[in-house]
Amino acid sequence: MSVLHKCFLILSMTCVHFYLFILTLCLGWRAKMALNMIAGLVLCMVGMSVAEDPYRFFNWNITYGDIYPLGVRQQGILINGQFPGPDIHSVTNDNLIINVFNSLDQPFLLSWSGVQQRRNSYEDGVFGTTCPIPPGKNFTYILQVKDQIGSFYYFPSLAFHKAAGGFGGIRILSRPRIPVPFDDPAGDYTVLIGDWYKSNHTDLQAQLDSGRKLPFPDGILINGRGPNGASLNVEQGKTYRLRISNVGLEHSLNFRIQNHKLKLVEVEGTHTLQTTFSSLDVHVGQSYSVLVTADQPAQDYYIVVSSRFTSPVLTTTGVLRYSNSAGPVSGPPPGGPTIQVDWSLNQARSIRTNLTASGPRPNPQGSYHYGMINTTRTIILSSSAGQVNGKQRYAINSVSYVAPDTPLKLADFFKISGVYRVGSISDRPTGGGLYLDTSVMQTDYRTFVEIVFQNDEDIIQSYHLDGYSFFVVGMDGGQWTAASRNQYNLRDAVSRSTTQVYPKSWTAIYVALDNVGMWNLRSEFWARQYLGQQFYMRVYTTSTSIRDEYPVPKNALLCGRASGRHTRPL
């Protein structure tokens, strides 16, 4: 309890007893018993009001700095001088107060991939909800990791900043009394992997702005380092947790460790059946937790990350270093899958929820019987690529998203007309040519919907939905039809916020729309997202109660047509 809260409690107790004394003098001793009961109730309420969840405070300065991840100097985005940025360590329900000072020469925003921002899409950190932080200014994010556990990451969402860094890991630990379905590991490591370009992010953005596609990446990084630059230290016989996130720009990556097995235990906030793999596909935007036991002879071993479904295949290595190592890595790095789709599809289908494990609360994750709830709406989303006005664009259901001059959520709050149109994107593919619009899909609060991602292109894709965790109930090749529901997993599908869609294939998800707000649904291929393969889902209710949605934050930045308006007094 903070000093301020203690003072408030003492003051409240003093005031209650003072008024009790005065009223007893005025009304006589017969009132004393009733007043004591009232005082007890008041003090109980006061005690409850100050028993808040813990606060964690962060002060971050965003700067440019020279980095050399692939051996050439680049302009990187650093957080407090670090590349990648610092990890965020938290516990379920913690309040995170993150003061971000923008020392860049461009507007800047951070988004929190997988953090659900319950009732509070204003803090989501994408342009549809949050005004950018101007150069030389700061903004304080006020987040709560409400009812969440697991492994996630943050990243810069504006322009093409993600290609320069500014990302880092987020871990949300279970509360002390909540059982976790595995023993505490000897160590807990964040492992950020991703494809990388030697070009500065401004050059890459200029290529996209001119209507061209990006070239093939130059390499792969592990925790911001190139070949053999990253290492993890272990002691023989002990088990370690690795939180692996693909923070790259486009490519699915395969992760493996020479002569070691990976036991999958958690996926984006869901404890999984503890399946053992020799290697793991991590698609762009996804996060996984694995346990690795240092059960091999004491020496150094390769950590290998390679690209999937690409030609050529990119590969990089790091080192798993035993504390009593007898020698350096030896032999060639172990090979992994390359272009095999079926291998990856079968692995994805094998990832299931551990129904008996507790999630953020002390009850089994399988106590929510999603497979027994009737869906009220089916939304089918199909991607496409093409030219608009002679420039490369990407679309969902033929609409290529164009950002307005005012965040959509602020336009909603201040009732500013003309920023967007509800229903500016269809919930079925239209089959027409690409066109530009600020696409917003209206959905209703507390409905249960089915979303099908139909991928008719010959590349693997990856989609993310802010504000939610959804059940990945099915995926297969070909065209989705109503008959495809016969193969859905309606019992123990994994719940997560990012899913892959294989080439010429479909993926189906179920999602309970229980979080009011304006939520970004996007491709995690960052060039595609930048050039329009995204839209916003407006989860709407007529209620104005804070039980359903918080009001605009007092410290919210205001921009565009919301400039000069007032947030609220409290």
Side-chain angles (χ1 to χ4, degrees), residues 9 17 21 66 79 88 141 158 215 263 280 284 314 326 336 377 400 415 467 476 480 516 522 554 569:
L9 180 58
H17 286 294
F21 173 71
D66 289 341
I79 301 179
I88 292 178
Y141 289 90
L158 290 185
K263 181 184 286 186
L280 184 65
V284 63
L314 289 172
R377 182 178 177 184
S400 187
K415 296 180 171 52
D476 205 352
W480 180 91
V516 176
R522 62 177 176 268
K554 169 66 176 171

Side-chain angles (χ1 to χ4, degrees), residues 47-243:
M48 290 173 63
S49 72
V50 298
E52 291 188 70
D53 294 301
Y55 283 77
R56 297 177 188 266
F57 296 89
F58 305 84
N59 279 296
W60 287 356
N61 187 27
I62 313 299
T63 61
Y64 288 126
D66 289 341
I67 57 174
Y68 301 81
L70 293 178
V72 299
R73 186 175 71 177
Q74 292 178 256
Q75 184 187 66
I77 293 179
L78 315 181
I79 301 179
N80 291 351
Q82 298 180 44
F83 169 73
D87 277 358
I88 292 178
H89 292 199
S90 61
V91 177
T92 300
N93 292 347
D94 278 358
N95 295 285
L96 308 180
I97 312 300
I98 307 171
N99 182 31
V100 177
F101 192 91
N102 178 16
S103 295
L104 307 183
D105 57 0
Q106 296 180 321
F108 185 79
L109 273 179
L110 285 172
S111 190
W112 321 91
S113 185
V115 177
Q116 293 178 13
Q117 314 290 359
R118 303 298 300 178
R119 299 181 286 175
N120 199 13
S121 60
Y122 296 102
E123 303 285 358
D124 199 32
V126 290
F127 185 72
T129 63
T130 314
C131 286
I133 307 169
K137 302 295 183 181
N138 75 301
F139 174 70
T140 301
Y141 289 90
I142 303 173
L143 318 176
Q144 186 180 26
V145 289
K146 180 68 175 172
D147 289 336
Q148 287 192 265
I149 58 168
S151 310
F152 310 97
Y153 67 94
Y154 61 86
F155 67 96
S157 64
L158 290 185
F160 217 61
H161 291 155
K162 191 180 181 186
F167 43 72
I170 301 173
R171 64 183 65 173
I172 309 174
L173 303 179
S174 297
R175 289 174 292 174
R177 295 183 181 180
I178 307 298
V180 175
F182 50 87
D183 294 334
D184 287 343
D188 196 331
Y189 290 109
T190 294
V191 182
L192 304 177
I193 59 177
D195 50 12
W196 193 259
Y197 290 89
K198 293 179 180 178
S199 301
N200 284 339
H201 71 96
T202 50
D203 296 331
L204 298 174
Q205 183 179 352
Q207 290 186 54
L208 295 174
D209 289 340
S210 68
R212 293 175 290 162
K213 297 180 181 180
L214 293 185
F216 194 69
D218 296 304
I220 297 172
L221 304 188
I222 303 175
N223 284 344
R225 290 172 170 80
N228 292 322
S231 63
L232 301 177
N233 298 319
V234 298
E235 293 185 28
Q236 195 168 30
K238 294 186 177 181
T239 298
Y240 296 82
R241 182 174 185 172
L242 275 55
R243 300 173 187 264

Side-chain angles (χ1 to χ4, degrees), residues 184-452:
D184 287 343
D188 196 331
Y189 290 109
T190 294
V191 182
L192 304 177
I193 59 177
D195 50 12
W196 193 259
Y197 290 89
K198 293 179 180 178
S199 301
N200 284 339
H201 71 96
T202 50
D203 296 331
L204 298 174
Q205 183 179 352
Q207 290 186 54
L208 295 174
D209 289 340
S210 68
R212 293 175 290 162
K213 297 180 181 180
L214 293 185
F216 194 69
D218 296 304
I220 297 172
L221 304 188
I222 303 175
N223 284 344
R225 290 172 170 80
N228 292 322
S231 63
L232 301 177
N233 298 319
V234 298
E235 293 185 28
Q236 195 168 30
K238 294 186 177 181
T239 298
Y240 296 82
R241 182 174 185 172
L242 275 55
R243 300 173 187 264
I244 309 164
S245 294
N246 185 340
V247 298
L249 299 176
E250 178 175 354
H251 291 295
S252 300
L253 301 175
N254 182 266
F255 180 91
R256 54 198 181 271
I257 300 178
Q258 183 182 24
N259 294 353
H260 290 72
K261 298 296 185 182
L262 311 174
K263 181 184 286 186
L264 183 66
V265 294
E266 177 256 329
V267 172
E268 294 167 23
T270 300
H271 292 304
T272 63
L273 293 179
Q274 295 182 11
T275 308
T276 299
F277 299 108
S278 57
S279 69
L280 184 65
D281 276 357
V282 185
H283 305 282
V284 63
Q286 293 186 338
S287 298
Y288 293 86
S289 276
V290 299
L291 297 180
V292 176
T293 300
D295 56 3
Q296 298 299 303
Q299 63 175 64
D300 293 349
Y301 294 88
Y302 283 112
I303 299 170
V304 186
V305 180
S306 59
S307 61
R308 294 283 271 119
F309 321 114
T310 66
S311 180
V313 176
L314 289 172
T315 302
T316 196
T317 56
V319 179
L320 184 75
R321 181 163 289 122
Y322 279 58
S323 60
N324 57 340
S325 174
V329 292
S330 60
T338 54
I339 61 173
Q340 304 92 329
V341 172
D342 286 347
W343 187 96
S344 187
L345 177 61
N346 290 332
Q347 182 178 80
R349 286 171 169 166
S350 73
I351 298 173
R352 306 289 184 91
T353 296
N354 183 343
L355 298 179
T356 63
S358 293
R361 296 174 178 272
N363 57 281
Q365 292 179 140
S367 60
Y368 182 79
H369 301 293
Y370 70 92
M372 300 175 66
I373 304 172
N374 293 326
T375 57
T376 58
R377 182 178 177 184
T378 296
I379 299 168
I380 302 176
L381 305 174
S382 178
S383 68
S384 55
Q387 298 273 317
V388 177
N389 300 326
K391 293 186 176 182
Q392 182 66 45
R393 297 291 299 187
Y394 300 93
I396 298 177
N397 290 359
S398 298
V399 188
S400 187
Y401 183 82
V402 178
D405 59 4
T406 306
L408 308 172
K409 190 61 197 167
L410 293 182
D412 254 6
F413 180 81
F414 291 115
K415 296 180 171 52
I416 303 170
S417 61
V419 175
Y420 72 92
R421 296 179 297 109
V422 168
S424 46
I425 179 172
S426 170
D427 60 5
R428 291 286 197 282
T430 64
L434 273 67
Y435 64 95
L436 307 178
D437 203 349
T438 302
S439 38
V440 176
M441 183 180 291
Q442 178 91 327
T443 56
D444 294 327
Y445 181 42
R446 290 180 175 162
T447 56
F448 192 72
V449 302
E450 174 187 42
I451 300 177
V452 178

